Amino acid sequence: MGFADAAMGPASFLSEFYTSFWWIPAGVLAAALAIKLPTIIRLWTDPLLRAVGGLLLLACAVFVFVAPSTIVWVNRVTGVPNISAPWVYSLLTAFCGSCLVLIIAWRDGLPEHSASTRRATRWVVSVYGGVIAALWVLFALADVPVERTRDLDTYYARTPFMREEILLYLLAHTTASLVTAKLIRNWIRTDGLDAWLRWGLKFLGVGYALNLAFDAAKLTAVGARWTGHDLDWLSLHLAPALACLSAVSIAVGFILPHAGQYLHERWRIRLAHRRLRPLYRLMRTVHGSGVPPVLRASAELRLTRRETFIRDVLLPLARRTDERLRERSYAAALGLGFGPERARALAAAVVILDAVEDAGARDTGHGHGPDTTELLREIGAVSRALRHPDVIREVRARAVAPEDTTAVTE
């Protein structure tokens, strides 16, 4: 009795929000679908993206139709008490089968490209299609006249045919969750996965583990009814909370790889734009003006315009850089302990500043013109080097020191 009282503490707290908290995962799933929708529309020919969209739509439908207010509405519209039960069970079964098919195709390749995926897809579709058909047959045979919006599973747990229907949908859900969780677990262990995909799979794994906990709670409550005991709180309060957490975790798992990669790309572009600021400001002093602003320009366009402006101004400037100064600056940077890549950037920064300070065109006269290819290609590294003027001054001082010493000696 003490255990039951303790359990009913959080359970009774959850029951206060029962009528409304089904809409929380529905909202999260709808948001996930909205995030995915532009990509799905843009890449409509991609079957995997279409499948993800359909899966999120199915999951959202499950939580919309399992809400007590929707259950009452469906029952009233159809005029059949408890017809929401086979409808929700069918949606849930279809969702489970779709998850299984998607994970198989996601991991092993599309059915048209993989014989094993085709076989697995046919097996899942036939089995879960049969389960959905059986759910409706069993409901037609059952006698369930009393409408139950919250406790149908336990209320009719001992009713002929409805008993079998409840057990069938729970076993189908448990089997799909077990198989999907195992596939995800094996996939996470694969080497070479994208970091965002790996995190998405981890959230999916958590979601399906919570699904298994949901099934355990439901089966325990139903089994208790069969033996004459009352553990309805597991089905009434714990299972819905687990279902909501599972839905949120699965939604995050499906959107994280896409959203994470998208946000990472946006951050990379904005960071590249910001890192070009020192070199852009230097080129603006040479040119006399900067890039004209464009209203509502995308981050990609702003980066491209800045890169183009820098290269356009830098090209004539780079043609009069002192190649010997660049070579000495590179050797000086190496002598200061910098790696080859950073040393090249520092040397380029030295000769660019030298060319900017030189008002007239310099005739290099060294038998070969300066190589501008690498300089124009590595503007990002050069710009980062310009953020450290003290280091550039030290490199330049070391680079010109041998000439000064020779002049004094003579």
Side-chain angles (χ1 to χ4, degrees):
M1 189 65 179
F3 175 77
D5 291 340
M8 286 305 295
S12 60
F13 172 77
L14 289 172
S15 67
E16 296 177 10
F17 302 96
Y18 186 91
T19 56
S20 59
F21 81 3
W22 291 108
W23 300 105
I24 297 173
V28 172
L29 289 163
L33 181 59
I35 291 172
K36 277 283 190 183
L37 195 58
T39 304
I40 294 170
I41 295 173
R42 189 173 67 251
L43 302 174
W44 182 252
T45 55
D46 188 335
L48 285 179
L49 277 175
R50 294 202 307 270
V52 170
L55 189 70
L56 292 173
L57 188 61
L58 262 178
C60 189
V62 169
F63 283 95
V64 168
F65 283 99
V66 81
S69 57
T70 312
I71 290 174
V72 171
W73 178 80
V74 171
N75 292 340
R76 295 292 181 273
V77 168
T78 60
V80 180
N82 297 310
I83 198 171
S84 282
W87 174 241
V88 171
Y89 294 163
S90 297
L91 287 174
L92 187 58
T93 302
F95 171 74
C96 293
S98 299
C99 285
L100 198 49
V101 169
L102 179 59
I103 293 297
I104 292 170
W106 204 1
R107 190 190 68 166
D108 298 336
L110 296 172
E112 55 265 31
H113 300 149
S114 170
S116 62
T117 303
R118 282 196 300 273
R119 288 193 299 271
T121 300
R122 284 196 297 266
W123 183 86
V124 172
V125 170
S126 60
V127 169
Y128 279 82
V131 169
I132 291 173
L135 289 172
W136 286 98
V137 170
L138 290 169
F139 179 77
L141 296 173
D143 182 21
V144 285
V146 181
E147 183 181 66
R148 311 300 297 185
T149 60
R150 294 185 53 182
D151 62 345
L152 184 141
D153 290 346
T154 50
Y155 186 87
Y156 287 112
R158 302 175 68 177
T159 302
F161 298 110
M162 199 62 193
R163 171 184 57 214
E164 286 75 13
E165 171 157 356
I166 294 166
L167 183 61
L168 179 60
Y169 102 82
L170 286 174
L171 289 179
H173 187 265
T174 303
T175 302
S177 298
L178 276 171
V179 175
T180 307
K182 183 179 179 181
L183 290 174
I184 292 172
R185 183 168 171 265
N186 292 339
W187 194 4
I188 290 176
R189 295 178 176 179
T190 305
D191 295 330
L193 286 183
D194 174 78
W196 291 108
L197 175 58
R198 190 180 296 278
W199 274 105
L201 290 173
K202 287 180 179 179
F203 274 99
L204 286 174
V206 171
Y208 284 103
L210 290 168
N211 265 345
L212 290 172
F214 164 87
D215 293 324
K218 283 281 187 179
L219 286 168
T220 302
V222 170
R225 279 282 185 159
W226 294 345
T227 59
H229 297 85
D230 184 357
L231 291 177
D232 288 7
W233 66 271
L234 289 172
S235 178
L236 280 172
H237 307 298
L238 180 60
L242 291 170
C244 290
L245 292 174
S246 171
V248 171
S249 184
I250 289 174
V252 171
F254 277 119
I255 67 174
L256 188 60
H258 167 72
Q261 290 167 3
Y262 174 83
L263 293 174
H264 180 263
E265 183 64 16
R266 297 280 77 72
W267 170 251
R268 186 193 65 80
I269 291 171
R270 292 184 184 277
L271 186 61
H273 186 269
R274 180 175 176 273
R275 285 176 173 174
L276 285 174
R277 187 182 301 168
L279 186 56
Y280 169 71
R281 286 178 172 174
L282 180 61
M283 294 301 99
R284 194 168 59 181
T285 62
V286 175
H287 186 267
S289 62
V291 178
V294 176
L295 294 177
R296 301 179 65 180
S298 65
E300 292 91 341
L301 180 59
R302 289 197 299 271
L303 176 61
T304 300
R305 284 165 58 83
R306 177 166 285 190
E307 289 175 338
T308 302
F309 174 82
I310 289 173
R311 289 191 173 98
D312 286 346
V313 179
L314 187 58
L315 180 59
L317 191 68
R319 286 173 179 160
R320 60 175 191 258
T321 56
D322 188 338
E323 281 297 285
R324 288 192 301 180
L325 177 60
R326 185 205 293 264
E327 293 168 2
R328 292 196 301 270
S329 298
Y330 177 70
L334 291 176
L336 287 170
F338 295 104
E341 184 177 346
R342 181 74 189 283
R344 281 193 294 271
L346 288 168
V350 168
V351 296
I352 288 172
L353 288 170
D354 182 66
V356 170
E357 293 169 1
D358 185 6
R362 174 184 285 114
D363 180 13
T364 56
H366 303 306
H368 61 279
D371 183 8
T372 61
T373 304
E374 182 178 337
L375 181 59
L376 294 175
R377 186 176 61 245
E378 300 298 332
I379 57 175
V382 175
S383 185
R384 288 193 295 273
L386 288 172
R387 290 181 178 274
H388 306 282
D390 294 342
V391 177
I392 293 175
R393 282 194 294 269
E394 186 175 0
V395 170
R396 178 180 172 81
R398 287 199 173 207
V400 301
E403 289 188 351
D404 294 346
T405 304
T406 302
V408 172
T409 303
E410 291 178 353

